[in-house]
């Protein structure tokens, strides 16, 4: 007597597996998981930059955090009447997209290079995803801004204390970026 599965039994098992795998892909949503991972990296990058800039300001006797300009990690543009940086360099010697000479810190630069948005490393990355550095030289304050792409972090953007609810903002003075300049930072 031969033992085995009939064709009908095999088709039923394959059908059940197909339904289960489709359900798992829909529940896990790998695209959203990748967006969340990139957003976590953005938040960590801006936190690291904020800490490095504060260290620079407290350690260097005559700190120069830049003039009243926008500095972009990816693009060079004109934004709300303020001229943006003309470099996307990641150097920490003052020639990078953040014009701070981190190498002047007594213990050396706390970061090896300036980060850029994690989506820009992908071919055809989203052009609306980049970091922005803004300064107010009148009171030596700064703000760092990023777009977050995951729906899981939408509350983070509106609860960070900044002036624009669709951007993630950190720094020593939030609100340097204004709602009139929000069009400079299109949300994905």
């Amino acid at each position: 007597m031969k033992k085995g599965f009939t064709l009908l039994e095999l088709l039923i098992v394959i059908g059940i597996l197909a339904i289960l795998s489709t359900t798992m892909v829909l529940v896990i949503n790998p695209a959203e998981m990748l967006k969340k991972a990139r957003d976590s990296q953005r938040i960590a990058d801006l936190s690291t930059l904020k800490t490095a800039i504060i260290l620079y300001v407290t350690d260097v006797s005559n700190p120069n955090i830049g003039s009243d300009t926008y500095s972009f990690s990816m693009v060079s543009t004109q934004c709300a009447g303020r001229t943006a940086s003309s470099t996307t360099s990641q150097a920490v010697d003052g020639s990078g997209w953040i014009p701070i000479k981190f190498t002047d810190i007594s213990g050396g630069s706390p970061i090896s290079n300036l980060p850029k948005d994690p989506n820009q490393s992908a071919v055809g990355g989203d052009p609306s995803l980049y970091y922005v550095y803004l300064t107010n030289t009148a009171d030596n304050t700064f703000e760092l801004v990023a777009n977050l792409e995951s729906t899981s972090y939408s509350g983070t953007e509106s609860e960070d204390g900044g002036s624009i609810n669709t951007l993630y903002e950190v720094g020593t003075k939030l609100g340097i970026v204004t709602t009139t300049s929000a069009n400079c930072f299109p949300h994905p």
Side-chain angles (χ1 to χ4, degrees):
M1 178 178 210
K2 289 186 175 181
K3 293 190 175 187
F5 296 106
T6 65
L7 181 60
L8 181 62
E9 290 171 329
L10 287 174
L11 289 174
I12 291 172
V13 169
I14 291 171
I16 291 171
L17 289 175
I19 291 170
L20 287 174
S21 63
T22 302
T23 304
M24 289 306 295
V25 167
L26 292 175
V27 169
I28 293 175
N29 193 356
E32 183 65 21
M33 296 295 276
L34 290 171
K35 288 178 182 180
K36 285 171 68 173
R38 288 190 299 265
D39 282 348
S40 294
Q41 183 64 48
R42 287 179 184 99
I43 291 169
D45 284 348
L46 293 190
S47 177
T48 300
L49 283 173
K50 177 183 174 184
T51 302
I53 295 168
I54 290 172
L55 178 62
Y56 170 82
V57 169
T58 57
D59 186 70
V60 175
S61 57
N62 291 315
N64 178 8
I65 63 167
S67 58
D68 290 336
T69 62
Y70 290 96
S71 298
F72 296 88
S73 65
M74 185 195 87
V75 296
S76 178
T77 187
Q78 176 81 12
C79 187
R82 297 172 98 180
T83 304
S85 65
S86 60
T87 181
T88 57
S89 168
Q90 294 178 274
V92 294
D93 61 359
S95 66
W97 67 269
I98 293 182
I100 293 178
K101 197 170 181 182
F102 290 103
T103 52
D104 285 349
I105 297 174
S106 61
S109 177
I111 53 177
S112 59
N113 59 18
L114 299 172
K116 63 179 184 175
D117 190 277
N119 199 38
Q120 295 309 312
S121 59
V123 175
D126 189 334
S128 70
L129 297 170
Y130 49 86
Y131 298 147
V132 181
Y133 172 70
L134 305 104
T135 58
N136 184 345
T137 54
D139 56 3
N140 220 25
T141 56
F142 68 93
E143 182 175 12
L144 295 160
V145 180
N147 275 334
L148 302 181
E149 47 181 334
S150 170
T151 55
S152 299
Y153 284 101
S154 60
T156 304
E157 294 173 326
S158 61
E159 297 170 1
D160 61 9
S163 60
I164 300 178
N165 289 340
T166 58
L167 296 172
Y168 180 68
E169 304 167 69
V170 297
T172 55
K173 181 179 184 181
L174 301 184
I176 296 174
V177 61
T178 62
T179 54
T180 58
S181 57
N183 62 345
C184 302
F185 317 103
H187 201 269

